[in-house]
Amino acid sequence: MKGLVCRNISKRYPTGKVALKSMSLSVESKGIFALIGRNGAGKTTLVRILATQMMPTSGTASIDGIDIIREPGRLRQEIAIVPQEARAIPWLTPMETVYSYLLWRGFESGEAKKRARKALNDVGMGDQADKMNQYLSGGMKRKVLVATVIASEARIIFLDEPTTGLDPISRSDLWKMLAKLKKERFIFLTTHYLDEAEKLADSIAIVEEGKLVASGTIEELRGKVKYPYSIKLLDGNTKVPKVRGKVIKGLDGSIQILTGEDEAYSVSKELIKKGTKFALGPLTLDDIFYSLVRKKIEGDDDGDEEENW
Amino acid sequence: MEMKRRIGSQILASILVNAIYTMKNYPIMLVWTFLSPFSLLLVIFFVSNGTLLGVGIEGALVMSMVLSGISMQGDLSHLRNDMKLQDMVVSSPTSALIYIVGMAISELVYSAPALTVLGILAVLFIHTTIMGAVQIFLVMALMFAFSIALGFMLSTFSSDVIQSWAFSGIVSTFLSTIPPVYYPITYIPLPYRYIAYLSPTTYAAQIAQNAAGYVSVPAGTVVVDWIVLIGVSILILFIAAKKTRWRER
Ligand SMILES: Nc1ncnc2c1ncn2[C@@H]1O[C@H](COP(=O)(O)OP(=O)(O)OP(=O)(O)O)[C@@H](O)[C@H]1O
Ligand SMILES: [Mg+2]
C-alpha cells in the first residue's frame, strides 16, 4: 500500500517511560509531512522507529508497502536521515562530510564528489566546503548535515528539526530547497516553527504525550477546532463585542477573539461601523496548535483568556 | 530507479572518516599512534638489558592488534553517541557488517606506521621458521578479530563517551595489563599465573613466544592454547553478532 501507515505504534523505553501510546497515522508518501508537538511529545521517538533505528515495543508501520519491522534492509535503500542531535564531525571538512556519507550510500567515488559539491553549493556552503567543520558556525554545521541528505538519492527523507539554529534568511533558503526537493521525494520533518510547518507542509500531524491529537491538511486541522477564525484588535482598550467565542489577551496588550465563520463576519461588520482597527483571518497553525494541545491556557504567561458568551 | 551500490565505497567511507581524514587533519594523531606500541617495548628493553627485545617486539605486535579493538570501541562510541553518525548509517544502505569491516580496516590503517616499524624490527631481531612466522601471524589475526568484535559490541552498549572510557579501561586491564605479553609467563610467580590464564591474550602470547623459540611449551599445551583462543574468539564473535545493538530495542 502506498503512503506512510502507522498501526498502533507504542514505545516504552527501558527506563519505563512510555513515549508513544498506540499511535496510528496514515499519510500520503509525497510532498512534505510535518510532525509537530511539544518537547518530549514523542516526535524523535517516532522518527527513529520509522527510520529503522529503534524497534517499537508494539505495533508496526510501513512506508510504501515496505514493513519497517520485517524489511528494514529494503527500507534502508530508500531512506536518509538527519537526526535531531547529529553533529558535523569536527575533523572533517563539509566536502569530506557529504562525500563520505554518499560513499556509505554506495555511490561511486567520482559521482559522490560531484553530488557533494553540488549539494554544498545548493545550501550556500560552496565557498566553505574545504574548511574544517569545527571552524564553522552552528547554523553552517547544520546546513552541512542537510546537504548530506539532499545530495543523496534517497526517496524518503527524515529531517528532525532541520531549521533549528538557522537565521531567518537561511531558513527561508532551506524552505525553498525543500519545496523543490519535495517534487521528487517524500520529506518527513519535525519542527517547532509552526509557520514553517504551515508554509511548507502538505499535511501536518500534532502529537502530544505520545498520542496523535490531529492530522490532515491545514484546512482539515482548522476544521477540528471549535473556533476557526481569529479577529485581532490591536488596541487593548477596545470594548470587546459580545460574541460566541474565546477572548485572549496578548502580552503586547492586543486582544484576540477566536470565533466561528458567521460570527466573525458579523463582528467585523460591527467593528468597521465603529471604525475600530482589526485584523481578520482564519486561524494560523499557531492558534490551532494552542487550541488543540493546550487544554488549560488560563493563567499561562502567553495571555489571558476567557470564554465570552 | 535501482542504483548499483558499491560495497567498496561503503568500506572506504569508514576508513576515510575514522583514519585517513583524522590523520590528515590532526597530524598529532600520527605521532601518538606511532609511539604507543613502543613505550612498553622500550621499558622492557631497558629493564631486561636487551635480553627480552625479541619477546617485546612480538608482544608489541600482538598488543597492537588488541589495541585496535579497544580504540575502535572508543571511536565508534564517540561517532555514535556524540555525532549520531551511526544513526545516519543505520538509516542507510550500509549494513552493520560492512560498517564494522570498514571501521576495523580503519584501525589497521591507523596503526600502519607503527606496524611497519614493528614488522621491520621483527624481521631483524626475531629469528624463527616460516611455520613460526605463520603461527605468529595467525595469532595476531585472531586477536584482531576478537578485539574488534568485542569493541564493536561494547560500543553499541555505551550511551556516552565517558561510559565508553570505563569499558576501555576494564577491557584493557583484562586484555593487556594482566597477561604476560611483553615477557614470558614464567616471570609471573605461580599463584598469580592463574589470573593471567583468565585472559585470552595470555594464550596468544604463549603461542607466539613458543613459535619464536622464546619459551618452550609442550606440543599438547600449544594445542590447548589454540583451542582456547579459537573457542573464545568464536564465542565473542557469536555473542557480538547476537547482542550488538545495531537497531535499538
Ligand atoms: N533514550 C531514551 N530513554 C528513555 N526515555 C527517553 C529516551 N529518549 C526519549 N525519551 C523520553 O521519551 C519522551 C519522548 O521523547 P522524544 O525525544 O521523542 O520527544 P520529542 O517530541 O522529539 O521532543 P523535542 O521536541 O524536545 O525534540 C520524552 O519524555 C523523553 O524523556
Ligand atoms: Mg525530538
Side-chain angles (χ1 to χ4, degrees):
Chain A
M1 138 145 208
K2 275 299 242 184
L4 163 66
V5 185
C6 303
R7 286 175 228 97
N8 305 313
I9 293 233
S10 294
K11 179 68 193 181
R12 182 196 196 91
Y13 280 105
T15 56
K17 170 79 200 177
V18 179
L20 292 176
K21 297 167 191 159
S22 196
M23 167 101 82
S24 291
L25 179 71
S26 173
V27 285
E28 268 192 296
S29 58
K30 58 180 198 192
I32 296 179
F33 168 67
L35 187 62
I36 60 178
R38 305 182 58 190
N39 292 135
K43 301 180 295 298
T44 299
T45 304
L46 182 63
V47 166
R48 296 195 68 223
I49 288 172
L50 294 177
T52 73
Q53 289 164 13
M54 188 165 68
M55 293 290 265
T57 309
S58 61
T60 186
S62 64
I63 307 179
D64 292 344
I66 308 175
D67 192 286
I68 61 155
I69 293 174
R70 279 183 287 113
E71 306 167 281
R74 238 181 102 201
L75 190 58
R76 286 170 183 158
Q77 308 286 322
E78 313 275 350
I79 60 176
I81 187 170
V82 180
Q84 176 173 7
E85 294 176 67
R87 283 180 54 203
I89 299 173
W91 63 85
L92 265 57
T93 66
M95 183 62 196
E96 290 164 351
T97 308
V98 182
Y99 170 66
S100 54
Y101 177 75
L102 293 179
L103 292 182
W104 267 308
R105 293 206 70 89
F107 279 98
E108 177 272 319
S109 172
E111 173 74 7
K113 279 209 174 98
K114 229 169 40 198
R115 280 177 169 256
R117 191 65 72 187
K118 180 172 182 309
L120 285 167
N121 281 333
D122 286 349
V123 296
M125 292 292 299
D127 51 349
Q128 321 257 12
D130 301 308
K131 266 190 205 174
M132 262 199 270
N133 289 330
Q134 57 184 305
Y135 302 129
L136 303 176
S137 76
M140 289 173 182
K141 288 180 197 154
R142 199 81 209 144
K143 290 186 206 174
V144 172
L145 291 172
V146 174
T148 60
V149 296
I150 289 180
S152 84
E153 84 305 343
R155 200 164 48 76
I156 300 153
I157 291 176
F158 294 95
L159 298 170
D160 198 350
E161 298 192 22
T163 54
T164 301
L166 295 196
D167 70 70
I169 294 174
S170 299
R171 185 179 309 158
S172 85
D173 285 348
L174 186 64
W175 290 351
K176 278 181 210 139
M177 224 146 32
L178 295 181
K180 213 162 79 190
L181 209 61
K182 76 168 193 177
K183 288 185 190 134
E184 300 126 40
R185 323 215 201 170
F186 172 48
I187 301 172
F188 183 130
L189 74 86
T190 74
T191 182
H192 288 296
Y193 301 108
L194 300 185
D195 58 327
E196 176 171 304
E198 187 166 357
K199 280 203 189 78
L200 271 183
D202 300 289
S203 56
I204 298 166
I206 303 176
V207 277
E208 170 65 4
E209 291 184 341
K211 283 193 228 139
L212 185 73
V213 175
S215 79
T217 61
I218 179 88
E219 281 314 318
E220 285 163 349
L221 292 182
R222 210 170 267 135
K224 293 198 164 91
V225 296
K226 203 162 159 198
Y227 306 120
Y229 277 81
S230 149
I231 297 168
K232 202 158 185 184
L233 308 172
L234 300 176
D235 180 358
N237 298 323
T238 317
K239 191 178 166 316
V240 178
K242 278 278 168 229
V243 61
R244 210 176 83 85
K246 263 184 187 164
V247 176
I248 302 167
K249 293 194 186 84
L251 286 177
D252 59 355
S254 68
I255 296 173
Q256 188 182 19
I257 306 167
L258 304 184
T259 184
E261 187 170 357
D262 295 340
E263 291 90 337
Y265 182 65
S266 57
V267 170
S268 42
K269 270 208 302 206
E270 198 178 314
L271 290 171
I272 290 171
K273 233 188 276 169
K274 283 195 210 145
T276 314
K277 286 210 174 73
F278 69 97
L280 167 71
L283 283 200
T284 62
L285 186 55
D286 255 276
D287 300 323
I288 297 171
F289 185 79
Y290 270 68
S291 53
L292 289 179
V293 170
R294 305 189 62 181
K295 289 136 209 134
K296 293 191 289 276
I297 297 179
E298 284 98 336
D300 237 285
D301 52 359
D302 288 294
D304 297 321
E305 176 185 355
E306 56 206 48
E307 289 275 348
N308 181 56
W309 294 92
Chain B
M1 36 165 213
E2 265 310 289
M3 149 185 174
K4 172 158 173 22
R5 301 191 195 274
R6 288 158 202 262
I7 291 178
S9 292
Q10 295 175 329
I11 289 175
L12 176 64
S14 300
I15 300 172
L16 286 175
V17 169
N18 200 43
I20 310 269
Y21 291 152
T22 329
M23 294 195 277
K24 181 183 129 236
N25 294 334
Y26 293 164
I28 189 80
M29 301 302 276
L30 265 174
V31 179
W32 176 70
T33 168
F34 184 77
L35 282 182
S36 55
F38 296 103
S39 50
L40 256 176
L41 180 57
L42 278 177
V43 173
I44 291 294
F45 179 68
F46 293 139
V47 168
S48 71
N49 288 321
T51 55
L52 287 179
L53 177 63
V55 183
I57 293 168
E58 230 181 13
L61 278 169
V62 171
M63 200 46 71
S64 64
M65 296 295 112
V66 174
L67 290 176
S68 294
I70 294 174
S71 68
M72 187 167 101
Q73 193 266 128
D75 291 347
L76 289 193
S77 164
H78 179 56
L79 291 173
R80 187 175 90 98
N81 299 314
D82 302 334
M83 303 291 144
K84 301 289 176 209
L85 173 77
Q86 196 169 308
D87 280 351
M88 293 179 72
V89 175
V90 170
S91 303
S92 90
T94 292
S95 65
L97 184 63
I98 290 177
Y99 186 65
I100 179 179
V101 167
M103 287 295 173
I105 298 175
S106 82
E107 298 296 339
L108 283 183
V109 170
Y110 219 160
S111 40
L115 280 177
T116 310
V117 176
L118 282 174
I120 294 169
L121 290 178
V123 170
L124 291 177
F125 294 105
I126 301 178
H127 307 288
T128 179
T129 57
I130 299 279
M131 266 314 287
V134 169
Q135 279 195 59
I136 294 171
F137 181 78
L138 284 180
V139 159
M140 286 172 65
L142 211 51
M143 283 316 284
F144 182 69
F146 166 87
S147 77
I148 287 288
L150 186 65
F152 183 49
M153 180 174 71
L154 290 180
S155 81
T156 67
F157 283 109
S158 67
S159 53
D160 162 308
V161 95
I162 306 276
Q163 206 180 17
S164 101
W165 290 340
F167 284 140
S168 295
I170 294 165
V171 170
S172 102
T173 305
F174 191 61
L175 292 183
S176 79
T177 312
I178 296 176
V181 188
Y182 288 89
Y183 47 87
I185 190 161
T186 45
Y187 279 43
I188 306 180
L190 200 60
Y192 303 110
R193 221 179 279 174
Y194 296 115
I195 301 176
Y197 278 117
L198 291 176
S199 169
T201 323
T202 302
Y203 301 88
Q206 189 154 299
I207 295 170
Q209 289 167 9
N210 180 64
Y214 296 119
V215 294
S216 173
V217 255
T221 309
V222 176
V223 172
V224 171
D225 285 347
W226 273 113
I227 290 173
V228 170
L229 203 55
I230 293 173
V232 169
S233 300
I234 289 176
L235 184 69
I236 287 291
L237 284 168
F238 180 76
I239 294 174
K242 283 264 168 239
K243 292 285 168 201
T244 292
R245 292 195 201 147
W246 186 246
R247 188 178 195 179
E248 286 166 35
R249 293 260 133 209

